[in-house]
Amino acid sequence: MNTGSNEPGEVAVASDETGTGEVHGEQDRGLGSRAPEFIKARRALHVSWQVGVFIIGLAVVVAGIIMLPLPGPGWVVIFGGMAIWATEFVWAQLVLRWTKRKVTEAAQRALDPKVRRRNIILTSIGLVIVGVLVGFYLWKFGITMPWKIKDQ
């Protein structure tokens, strides 16, 4: 992932290439804190703000991780936590931009007719294999589940 610098200790800074100073969109917006100006003006208040944003984002990300094996939209919640972090931290903004770019690329690849045809063929083959295995199991053992032991 390119952070905009090859030197250790340097900070990535987005430049305003239009020269007007206007914000046109999320992609053109500079990296860094989006805290209100009166918070950024006071160091202690800004650090407290960053700690609060980090804790809230961490709670959302942990909730998303918990939702991965449990019912719930785990990945959506994880990316929501990353978006909360991205309001304050450059590293989260860079990770979120990289993730958005990769998701867009994957969506474009998935819409390719050759890829769609391949996915349909592989899904059909997988369903046939599963159907044959289920049919063989039912033919061999019947509808009785293997964990029901008759002789105890």
Side-chain angles (χ1 to χ4, degrees), residues 39-97:
I39 291 178
K40 286 194 244 181
R42 294 164 185 85
R43 176 93 173 122
L45 190 56
H46 192 228
V47 170
S48 300
W49 177 271
Q50 286 180 327
V51 168
V53 168
F54 183 79
I55 290 172
I56 291 169
L58 183 65
V60 173
V61 168
V62 168
I65 291 171
I66 290 171
M67 285 184 206
L68 287 175
L70 299 175
W75 285 110
V76 173
V77 174
I78 290 172
F79 290 126
M82 287 297 297
I84 291 171
W85 279 339
T87 63
E88 199 56 37
F89 303 107
V90 173
W91 61 267
Q93 292 168 3
L94 294 172
V95 168
L96 210 53
R97 285 183 183 179

